[in-house]
Amino acid sequence: QVQLVESGGGLVQAGGSLRLSCAASGLTFSVYTMGWFRQAPGKEREFVAAISFSAGGETYYAHSVKGRFTVSRDNAKNMLYLQMLSLKPEDTAVYYCAGGVTVIGGVARRANYWGQGTQVTVSS
């Protein structure tokens, strides 16, 4: 059974930083493209960042977070990370770890596996 467990969310002031982690189990982590999505209240879930399974770990970012967020992975530990800097109130959302992500045109369109999410709240 695939499990993706996020951690690291919380409340932070605008301009602050957070690092999200995702512990994966039940899948061969190293062969999957992994990613992060988020969903703000009243909005649809949206793509944030993704990282391929290849040795180079090609990364993809939503325009709204590019230059502020960094996605990374540790295949030896089955861990996915999202370093978030210069956080803005509009980054407030539940952040979801996703596995088996399909990237089309530089944007993650869908995923096979989902975590339960972790809340990130950025105060102004």
Side-chain angles (χ1 to χ4, degrees), residues 5-100:
V5 180
E6 303 95 337
S7 61
L11 173 64
V12 63
Q13 288 188 331
S17 62
L18 282 174
R19 188 193 194 207
L20 304 183
S21 299
C22 172
S25 61
L27 77 169
T28 307
F29 182 80
S30 61
V31 304
Y32 284 97
T33 294
M34 300 294 294
W36 293 94
F37 290 72
R38 68 186 181 186
Q39 187 168 19
K43 295 187 177 181
E44 292 188 353
R45 188 154 52 187
E46 65 176 4
F47 164 67
V48 175
I51 184 167
S52 72
F53 60 85
S54 62
E58 187 171 4
T59 55
Y60 311 89
Y61 296 96
H63 178 74
S64 60
V65 306
K66 199 166 187 177
R68 299 188 297 123
F69 290 12
T70 302
V71 61
S72 62
R73 65 192 296 164
D74 185 335
N75 287 343
K77 297 182 178 179
N78 286 5
M79 294 292 295
L80 178 72
Y81 304 102
L82 185 67
Q83 179 68 55
M84 305 185 293
L85 304 177
S86 302
L87 283 161
K88 305 175 181 180
E90 50 264 44
D91 294 318
T92 294
V94 176
Y95 283 71
Y96 296 91
C97 175

